[in-house]
Coordinates of all heavy atoms in Angstrom, one line a residue:
L1260 N 5.1 -3.5 4.7 CA 5.8 -2.5 5.5 C 6.8 -1.7 4.7 O 7.3 -2.2 3.8 CB 6.5 -3.2 6.7 CG 5.6 -3.8 7.7 CD1 6.4 -4.6 8.7 CD2 4.7 -2.8 8.4
K1261 N 7.2 -0.5 5.1 CA 6.5 0.2 6.2 C 5.3 1.1 5.8 O 4.4 1.3 6.6 CB 7.5 1.1 6.9 CG 8.7 0.4 7.6 CD 9.6 1.5 8.2 CE 10.9 0.9 8.8 NZ 11.9 1.9 9.2
G1262 N 5.4 1.5 4.5 CA 4.5 2.6 4.1 C 3.0 2.3 4.3 O 2.2 3.3 4.4
E1317 N -0.9 -2.2 -0.1 CA 0.2 -1.3 -0.4 C -0.2 0.2 -0.2 O -1.3 0.5 -0.3 CB 0.7 -1.5 -1.8 CG 1.9 -2.4 -2.0 CD 3.2 -1.8 -1.6 OE1 3.2 -0.9 -0.7 OE2 4.2 -2.3 -2.0
D1318 N 0.8 1.0 0.1 CA 0.6 2.4 0.1 C 0.6 3.0 -1.3 O -0.2 3.9 -1.6 CB 1.5 3.2 1.1 CG 3.0 2.9 0.8 OD1 3.3 1.9 0.1 OD2 3.8 3.7 1.1
I1319 N 1.6 2.6 -2.1 CA 1.7 3.2 -3.4 C 2.3 2.2 -4.4 O 3.2 1.4 -4.1 CB 2.6 4.5 -3.4 CG1 2.6 5.2 -4.7 CG2 4.0 4.2 -2.9 CD1 3.1 6.6 -4.7
V1320 N 1.8 2.2 -5.6 CA 2.4 1.5 -6.8 C 3.0 2.6 -7.6 O 2.3 3.5 -8.2 CB 1.3 0.7 -7.6 CG1 2.0 0.1 -8.8 CG2 0.8 -0.4 -6.7
D1321 N 4.3 2.5 -7.8 CA 5.1 3.5 -8.5 C 5.6 2.9 -9.8 O 5.0 2.9 -10.8 CB 6.2 3.9 -7.5 CG 6.8 5.3 -7.9 OD1 6.5 5.8 -9.0 OD2 7.4 5.9 -7.1
T1322 N 6.8 2.2 -9.8 CA 7.3 1.5 -10.9 C 6.5 0.2 -11.1 O 6.5 -0.4 -12.1 CB 8.8 1.2 -10.9 OG1 9.0 0.3 -9.8 CG2 9.6 2.4 -10.7
G1323 N 6.0 -0.3 -9.9 CA 5.3 -1.6 -9.9 C 6.2 -2.8 -9.6 O 5.7 -3.9 -9.5
L1324 N 7.5 -2.5 -9.5 CA 8.5 -3.6 -9.2 C 8.2 -4.3 -7.9 O 8.2 -5.5 -7.9 CB 9.9 -3.0 -9.2 CG 11.0 -4.1 -8.9 CD1 11.1 -5.1 -10.1 CD2 12.3 -3.4 -8.7
T1325 N 7.9 -3.6 -6.8 CA 7.7 -4.2 -5.5 C 6.5 -5.1 -5.6 O 6.6 -6.3 -5.1 CB 7.5 -3.1 -4.4 OG1 8.7 -2.2 -4.5 CG2 7.4 -3.7 -3.1
D1377 N 7.0 8.1 3.5 CA 8.1 8.9 4.1 C 8.9 9.6 3.0 O 8.9 9.2 1.8 CB 9.0 8.0 4.9 CG 9.9 7.1 4.0 OD1 9.3 6.4 3.1 OD2 11.1 7.1 4.2
R1383 N 5.9 10.2 8.0 CA 4.9 9.1 8.0 C 3.7 9.4 8.8 O 2.6 8.9 8.6 CB 5.6 7.8 8.5 CG 6.6 7.2 7.5 CD 6.9 5.8 7.9 NE 8.2 5.3 7.4 CZ 8.4 4.7 6.2 NH1 7.4 4.6 5.4 NH2 9.6 4.3 5.9
Ligands
LIG2415 C1 7.6 2.1 -1.3 C2 6.1 1.7 -1.2 C3 6.0 0.5 -2.1 C4 7.1 0.7 -3.2 C5 6.5 1.2 -4.4 O1 8.3 1.4 -0.4 O2 5.8 1.4 0.1 O3 6.3 -0.7 -1.4 O4 8.0 1.8 -2.7 O5 7.5 1.5 -5.4 P1 7.6 0.6 -6.7 O6 6.2 0.4 -7.3 O7 8.5 1.5 -7.6 O8 8.3 -0.7 -6.4 P2 9.8 1.8 0.1 O9 10.8 1.0 -0.6 O10 9.9 3.3 0.0 O11 9.7 1.4 1.6 P3 8.8 1.8 2.8 O12 7.4 1.4 2.5 O13 9.4 1.1 4.0 O14 9.0 3.3 3.0

Side-chain angles (χ1 to χ4, degrees):
L1260 295 173
K1261 293 177 183 172
E1317 260 288 22
D1318 55 336
I1319 186 165
V1320 173
D1321 201 344
T1322 66
L1324 177 68
T1325 304
D1377 75 310
R1383 292 194 200 273

